[in-house]
Amino acid sequence: MAVPQSPRPALADRALAALRALLGDRFSTAAAVREQHGREESWHPTMPPDAVAFPHSTEEVAAVLRICAAHEVPVVPYGTGTSLEGGIAALRGGVTVDLSQMNRVTRVSAEDLDCTVEAGVTRKLLNEHLRDTGLFFPIDPGADASLGGMAATRASGTNAVRYGTMRDNVLGLTVVLADGRIIRTGGRARKSAAGYDLTRLFIGSEGTLGLITEVTLKLYGIPEAISSAVCAFPTVADAVNTTIATIQLGIPVARIELLDEVQIGASNAYSKLDLEVAPTLFFEFHGTEAGVAEQAETVKALAQDNGGGEFLWATKAEDRSKLWEARHKAYYAGIALRPGCRGMPTDVCVPISRLADCLVETKADITASGLVAPIVGHVGDGNFHTCMILNTDDREEIARAEAFHDRLVMRALAMGGTCTGEHGIGYGKIRFLEQEHGDGVAVMQALKRALDPAGILNPGKVLPGN
């Protein structure tokens, strides 16, 4: 895919001087720092900014935005650099605002099951902080992403089938607008009918409407009992039909993850597992001892009805950790199948009733395309990923991959789905937005113009013409 081409004006000397005066050695134009902040996890080319700012507070972020607005300098937010759709690329240069040093958990209310964190706090850091409270935060994208970034991309993860996505778990935000104004959205009440839902406007906006600097989150009690299991199936369809039956029966599983036989082979080698090389479901059950046992027996019977093999259990914490760590490292395991290549992930989501059809057609398309593309999926909510492992120097292979990706998205949209379940649009999926939302895109563009009339916030991302 071609990188969007647009003017890249030099950073004005007065803007540079003002930012250096504000931040001192926390403002850098060093080549290595800039390069790091233009590089993400996936196959998109590195697009570094002209400079990087490292604020320590919402007020400093606001001051940076005021300077950049005065000089019409593009601003790109940065958390941990784990985005997959080109979201951190500085397509028009400018200043990357790295929020990773804003990493304080500012408040935990065990009684109310909520907390407030700065945007740079990562999900693992938060759960480590909560370890002695009996609470946890369940949203777990594969990487140890920042919570600000997770809110900005409307992230999800393996627990979404039970606990929902970031959209469902953010109570409020602190956001800095393009002109430097600071607003606070939402609150700690579990419901409100006061005005527009600004919190959810900014969740998933990918830094194009404002920079998220604080997040107030729901927390959950750590379950009394947790058990994990894996079960192999003859085909992907058999595994997905088990998932569909589980969801339709209302069984409150916490996680149902699919790894196809290609991914299982890759994960066996990379994460030192010894699983049967076949389409496999990873399950996790949360609840009381009796509740977990009942859930497990019901799902086991459904799996057997669909040709599933033996349930291999992981009840000890260390065994569960190894299993789910392997699932979270599936992306890197896939890349290891072709050393020196890079991953091009996809991210469609369809209604659960169409999931088997979509996956079976996609598997056939991968074979016909001659691509190496393991499949993993949060199949409990209809979301799955292929990750094409590509030689990015081979233009013919890239063309085949892009054609496959287009067909996959069109297939998902035709089934009532979406081009992205959790990775976001970035600049990698802009071309699909109008096909999915039609005239709704014009409404999004009007909101963008109202909040960022000069177009300085993460330009070139999410919306056509941004």
Side-chain angles (χ1 to χ4, degrees):
M1 181 182 62
V3 177
Q5 298 297 315
S6 54
R8 211 182 140 104
L11 199 56
D13 288 343
R14 283 183 295 176
L16 280 170
L19 290 165
R20 282 202 180 97
L22 173 69
L23 297 173
D25 61 5
R26 290 184 286 115
F27 181 74
S28 177
T29 56
V33 175
R34 293 169 46 238
E35 185 84 2
Q36 174 196 346
H37 286 80
R39 183 189 309 116
E40 63 166 25
E41 291 282 355
S42 78
W43 73 300
H44 294 99
T46 299
M47 298 286 288
D50 298 308
V52 181
F54 297 89
H56 282 177
S57 67
T58 295
E59 290 71 26
E60 283 191 343
V61 174
V64 169
L65 264 293
R66 285 193 292 270
I67 292 167
C68 290
H71 298 278
E72 296 193 353
V73 173
V75 175
V76 180
Y78 183 98
T80 58
T82 56
S83 63
L84 295 170
E85 295 297 343
I88 63 169
L91 300 176
R92 298 176 195 166
V95 174
T96 287
V97 178
D98 184 329
L99 299 160
S100 63
Q101 294 180 23
M102 293 178 60
N103 58 2
R104 293 173 296 177
V105 177
T106 60
R107 183 191 58 80
V108 174
S109 175
E111 298 85 356
D112 293 311
L113 299 176
D114 67 22
C115 70
T116 300
V117 302
E118 291 183 325
V121 174
T122 66
R123 64 177 184 88
K124 288 183 179 179
L125 180 63
L126 175 58
N127 279 322
E128 200 172 295
H129 184 91
L130 296 171
R131 185 173 50 196
D132 297 329
T133 67
L135 303 174
F136 81 116
F137 182 70
I139 310 305
D140 64 336
D144 186 22
S146 69
L147 290 158
M150 288 167 61
T153 56
R154 202 183 302 142
S156 183
T158 64
N159 278 312
V161 64
R162 177 161 181 155
Y163 297 99
T165 70
M166 286 298 284
R167 179 190 66 186
D168 308 299
N169 287 281
V170 175
L171 294 169
L173 300 168
T174 300
V175 181
V176 180
L177 301 181
D179 59 6
R181 282 179 294 162
I182 299 168
I183 65 168
R184 290 175 174 84
T185 75
R188 293 178 57 203
R190 290 303 170 111
K191 64 179 183 179
S192 172
Y196 299 149
D197 190 346
L198 294 180
T199 301
R200 276 152 193 83
L201 175 63
F202 288 101
I203 294 173
S205 63
E206 302 183 42
T208 62
L209 300 179
L211 271 62
I212 295 170
T213 60
E214 288 186 337
V215 189
T216 296
L217 300 163
K218 295 179 184 178
L219 302 176
Y220 297 82
I222 296 173
E224 174 190 324
I226 302 175
S227 288
S228 298
V230 297
C231 181
F233 291 82
T235 68
V236 163
D238 294 322
V240 174
N241 286 332
T242 300
T243 302
I244 293 170
T246 299
I247 299 302
Q248 290 176 343
L249 284 173
I251 300 167
V253 291
R255 291 165 157 169
I256 311 180
E257 295 289 303
L258 170 70
L259 285 72
D260 76 348
E261 68 281 4
V262 181
Q263 184 63 62
I264 287 291
S267 293
N268 278 347
Y270 188 84
S271 296
K272 306 298 186 289
L273 302 179
D274 188 24
L275 299 175
E276 179 183 349
V277 180
T280 300
L281 291 179
F282 285 32
F283 297 97
E284 189 161 277
F285 307 96
H286 292 182
T288 64
E289 293 283 358
V292 164
E294 182 180 0
Q295 293 172 39
E297 284 304 312
T298 305
V299 174
K300 189 174 180 180
L302 294 173
Q304 289 173 345
D305 289 344
N306 286 288
E310 181 184 358
F311 264 48
L312 303 176
W313 290 97
T315 54
K316 294 180 180 179
E318 58 269 27
D319 294 334
R320 292 199 312 271
S321 294
K322 181 179 180 181
L323 188 67
W324 291 108
E325 187 69 12
R327 167 60 187 89
H328 282 313
K329 289 182 176 178
Y331 178 74
Y332 305 106
I335 292 173
L337 290 171
R338 295 184 70 188
C341 292
R342 300 190 71 181
M344 178 181 175
T346 68
D347 180 36
V348 298
C349 187
V350 297
I352 192 77
S353 63
R354 301 305 309 274
L355 183 59
D357 294 336
C358 196
L359 271 163
V360 168
E361 291 180 29
T362 299
K363 287 281 288 181
D365 198 351
I366 291 170
T367 300
S369 301
L371 297 167
V372 177
I375 292 177
V376 299
H378 312 308
V379 287
D381 54 14
N383 186 197
F384 72 91
H385 314 290
T386 65
C387 185
M388 293 167 279
I389 315 303
L390 304 176
N391 175 1
T392 53
D393 294 326
D394 186 334
R395 292 186 178 181
E396 189 275 333
E397 186 175 6
I398 293 294
R400 278 189 286 127
E402 289 183 329
F404 164 81
H405 187 204
D406 287 356
R407 291 192 298 273
L408 173 58
V409 171
M410 293 302 105
R411 183 180 304 126
L413 294 180
M415 293 180 178
T418 176
C419 67
T420 176
E422 58 186 3
H423 292 168
I425 294 292
Y427 73 81
K429 288 192 170 78
I430 287 177
R431 66 191 188 280
F432 300 127
L433 204 64
E434 286 181 325
Q435 291 168 308
E436 182 166 335
H437 288 293
D439 289 342
V441 172
V443 177
M444 297 180 201
Q445 289 171 322
L447 288 166
K448 169 68 172 173
R449 288 192 297 271
L451 291 174
D452 181 20
I456 67 169
L457 294 180
N458 215 2
K461 315 295 173 53
V462 182
L463 295 171
N466 172 22

